[in-house]
Amino acid sequence: MTARPASISRRLTLLLTGGIVLLWLLGAAFSVLVVHEEIDEVFDSALEETAQWLLPLATGALEGKATPPGLLGEQDDDDEYLTFQLRGRDGAVLLRSHDAPEAPYTGSLALGFSESRHHRVYTIASGRYFLQVAEPLGHRQEALMESAGALLLPLAGLVPVSILLILWSVRGGLAPMRRLQGDIGARDGGNLQPIADTDWPEEIGGTVQAVNRLLHRLRSALEAERVFAATSAHELRTPVATALAQTQRLLAELESGLAPEDAQARGRRIEATLHRLGGLVEKLLHLSRAEAGIGLSETENDLLPVLRLVIEELAAQPGAARRLSLVIADGASLRARMDIDAFSIVVRNLIENALAYGDPETPVEIAVPDDRTVSVRNGCAVIPPETLARLTQRFVRGFVHGSRAGKGPDGSGLGLAIADTILRQTGGTLELFSPVPGQSDGFEARVTFLTT
């Protein structure tokens, strides 16, 4: 059975109603304590005053000088709250009101207030007589309960009214959230327009802005994916079609008796085309790994050995060893919170970019001038600023010693885009310069790592 989803309106209503009821109960309990003390003070004062008035009347009645009301005699059936007993020094009851018990209220005749099992008693003396005025304890309890009931009775009507008012208020307060939910629900792959960020409460305005930023990133990502898919298909179509055409021509020429040396030349062209295709596929795989977020590492890694290893591997390529040079400043170390594989992809792409796009007669200089910088320089004609600004975009190529790199066999236009994507994940930066600072030409890619 599927659990019912939690409701913010229901939860807020219950919490607020419960809080109001709890505060009302605490207030009522405090009020009852105060009322209890006040009742005791008032009733004790009444006992004391009544005793002072009754003492001369009771003693006068006992001596035949007066007949106070409420003494022995015919009385109505209504119970009286205050009763009295006139007692002698030996404790015997000499005179009592008609509702007073025959037995003494208390065993002792101590002056002042005291309590028996059923009464609150005040004792006063005059000569050889003691007057005790008593009030039933149940009377005070009854008064206290009535006061407490008067405080708690409104709660029975307050709770349902509070629930309705709070529920109405909460639902009204959450109406913008429901409207925002509807606006977000209306967005899909075909509708990624930003949500209007006006007329929203302050508490929701930040959420709307965050959602709009997310929609913008999603729209940019989807657009980039569409461009990437279309461009990748176009870039792959050319070498595949070239290899297929060369293979078909080779088969046709072999069938027609082509000389072996011509077949070998055709095979080498096919091999070169397939090499280019393999390089492009490898770059696409690097790009997919970069976009998967492999850059940042939880720990700090030593990257200098990785840099040396990448240079050694690239130096094994024909003609590359004589062009590559590595210069590390004295005492410089290269440590960063960057994944080792991600760093190898970055420097490999930068160095391959320099080898492929730079003047083949000039060296490729890799330098580590300090603990957080790696630069790769190659010789070439100055790249125009408008082209330089676009080089980190996918499938954008610069110039190679005066001609378009796109016309060469090896350029894919992905290397700088891959490096820039990975570095942005780690907080680092990739800066491109042409000409090289301090020179009249050349190209420099400078990597700066985030300091920890």
Side-chain angles (χ1 to χ4, degrees), residues 105-421:
Y105 289 127
T106 60
S108 66
L109 293 174
L111 299 180
F113 292 99
S114 61
E115 286 189 6
S116 66
R117 185 177 179 182
H118 301 289
H119 294 85
R120 173 79 169 170
V121 181
Y122 180 74
T123 303
I124 191 173
S126 176
R128 54 193 179 87
Y129 299 110
F130 290 86
L131 180 69
Q132 288 186 316
V133 180
E135 177 192 9
L137 293 176
H139 178 225
R140 296 193 177 196
Q141 294 176 355
E142 180 183 357
L144 183 63
M145 294 301 295
E146 289 178 354
S147 300
L151 291 171
L152 295 176
L153 185 61
L155 192 61
L158 176 67
V159 171
V161 173
S162 298
I163 291 176
L164 293 177
L165 290 177
I166 293 174
L167 184 60
W168 176 77
S169 300
V170 168
R171 286 185 174 178
L174 294 179
M177 294 186 63
R178 289 192 292 271
R179 181 159 61 95
L180 177 60
Q181 179 184 7
D183 289 345
I184 294 176
R187 267 63 182 174
D188 53 24
N191 178 18
L192 293 176
Q193 294 301 315
I195 299 173
D197 57 358
T198 57
D199 300 330
W200 292 104
E202 180 181 355
E203 295 78 5
I204 300 180
T207 303
V208 173
Q209 294 176 4
V211 170
N212 283 338
R213 288 194 295 269
L214 178 61
L215 290 173
H216 175 72
R217 291 196 297 269
L218 182 58
R219 186 168 58 251
S220 300
L222 291 178
E223 181 63 26
E225 290 299 327
R226 285 193 288 266
V227 173
F228 176 71
T231 311
S232 298
H234 174 73
E235 293 290 331
L236 288 171
R237 185 184 300 114
T238 301
V240 169
T242 301
L244 179 60
Q246 293 286 352
T247 303
Q248 290 172 342
R249 290 188 60 184
L250 176 60
L251 292 175
E253 291 172 352
L254 287 175
E255 291 175 356
S256 62
L258 184 69
E261 58 273 13
D262 294 334
Q264 291 178 359
R266 186 76 65 187
R268 283 192 294 270
R269 285 196 293 271
I270 295 175
E271 181 184 18
T273 302
L274 292 177
H275 275 303
R276 181 187 175 196
L277 179 60
L280 180 57
V281 171
E282 182 181 5
K283 295 296 184 184
L284 293 175
L285 291 176
H286 285 175
L287 183 59
S288 67
R289 292 188 63 193
E291 292 179 339
I294 66 169
L296 191 62
S297 173
E298 295 182 358
T299 58
E300 192 176 68
N301 295 312
D302 185 4
L303 303 178
L304 273 179
V306 182
L307 177 61
R308 290 191 177 98
L309 180 61
V310 171
I311 293 175
E312 290 178 4
E313 291 179 354
L314 293 176
Q317 297 179 4
R322 64 179 179 83
R323 297 181 59 193
L324 295 176
S325 66
L326 174 62
V327 179
I328 302 176
D330 293 339
S333 63
L334 199 60
R335 303 186 65 88
R337 289 184 57 197
M338 187 173 186
D339 182 79
I340 293 177
D341 289 339
F343 175 73
S344 68
I345 291 175
V346 169
V347 294
R348 179 181 294 274
N349 278 281
L350 294 181
I351 298 173
E352 287 180 345
N353 183 79
L355 291 171
Y357 289 80
D359 187 340
E361 301 303 322
T362 60
V364 173
E365 302 174 355
I366 302 100
V368 182
D370 53 53
D371 293 344
R372 54 191 296 263
T373 306
V374 177
S375 70
V376 179
R377 297 178 177 180
N378 62 268
C380 67
V382 176
I383 300 176
E386 61 274 11
T387 303
L388 188 69
R390 298 173 54 244
L391 286 183
T392 55
Q393 299 178 14
R394 300 167 181 175
F395 303 109
V396 174
R397 301 174 178 85
F399 286 93
V400 178
H401 46 84
S403 62
R404 289 290 297 176
K407 295 180 181 180
D410 299 323
S412 65
L414 289 174
L416 296 179
I418 294 170
D420 183 63
T421 300

Side-chain angles (χ1 to χ4, degrees), residues 87-111:
R87 301 170 64 181
R89 288 188 177 276
D90 58 358
V93 177
L94 305 177
L95 188 68
R96 64 185 177 85
S97 60
H98 76 284
D99 278 344
E102 295 181 1
Y105 289 127
T106 60
S108 66
L109 293 174
L111 299 180

Side-chain angles (χ1 to χ4, degrees), residues 63-80:
E63 296 174 354
K65 298 177 181 180
T67 303
L71 298 181
L72 290 173
E74 196 69 28
Q75 301 292 339
D76 54 31
D77 295 333
D78 294 337
D79 294 336
E80 296 181 357

